[in-house]
Amino acid sequence: MWDMYVRHPKPNICFSMTLKHRRIHLFLQIFFLLTGLYEGYHILDLFVQPDLSQTLFIPQDGQLPVITLFVHILAMVLSLFSGVSLWLRAVWAYGFSLFTSGLLFVINLFNLSAAIQDNSFHIIPIVLILLILMQSFPFLLRRSYRGA
């Protein structure tokens, strides 16, 4: 009964999350997990090529397939790890997710030109990923700055 008269200290504003921030956080968590799965699908799509083992180190369209494969594996692992770190609410999760966002942005921007020329069905997920990443940059910048 006496507890209602006792003043409790207010929580620190920097570390409290509003409902809007919680929704964005959950959305980014799910987004990074789905993007990691999409990159895994893209890796499997690279392995479907019949002569991949013979042409892995031969340049095709100005790119080495082994480097492209390595970058997509790296993007998949980092994206899944960002989703898990956001789920665990690690202190460094926003900075790491910002780094992963930059990597995903560059990879998808380069893949957009190949998708326009070769496979137009990949344009829709690539453009969705690019739009979501561009809109999430300010939130991740703000949260990574406050978390440091």
Side-chain angles (χ1 to χ4, degrees), residues 56-134:
L56 201 56
F57 295 100
I58 298 172
Q60 298 174 356
D61 299 327
Q63 298 178 3
L64 280 175
V66 69
I67 293 176
T68 304
L69 186 64
F70 174 73
V71 168
H72 282 290
I73 290 173
L74 182 69
M76 179 189 71
V77 169
L78 290 180
S79 183
L80 291 173
F81 192 68
S82 290
V84 170
S85 68
L86 284 172
W87 178 61
L88 294 175
R89 294 183 187 245
V91 176
W92 45 266
Y94 294 108
F96 188 76
S97 298
L98 185 63
F99 171 74
T100 305
S101 295
L103 181 69
L104 286 173
F105 187 80
V106 170
I107 289 172
N108 285 302
L109 196 61
F110 285 136
N111 285 341
L112 186 60
S113 64
I116 289 172
Q117 294 174 357
D118 298 335
N119 191 357
S120 62
F121 292 113
H122 286 287
I123 293 174
I124 295 170
I126 289 174
V127 168
L128 281 175
I129 289 172
L130 289 174
L131 287 174
I132 291 171
L133 286 175
M134 283 191 292

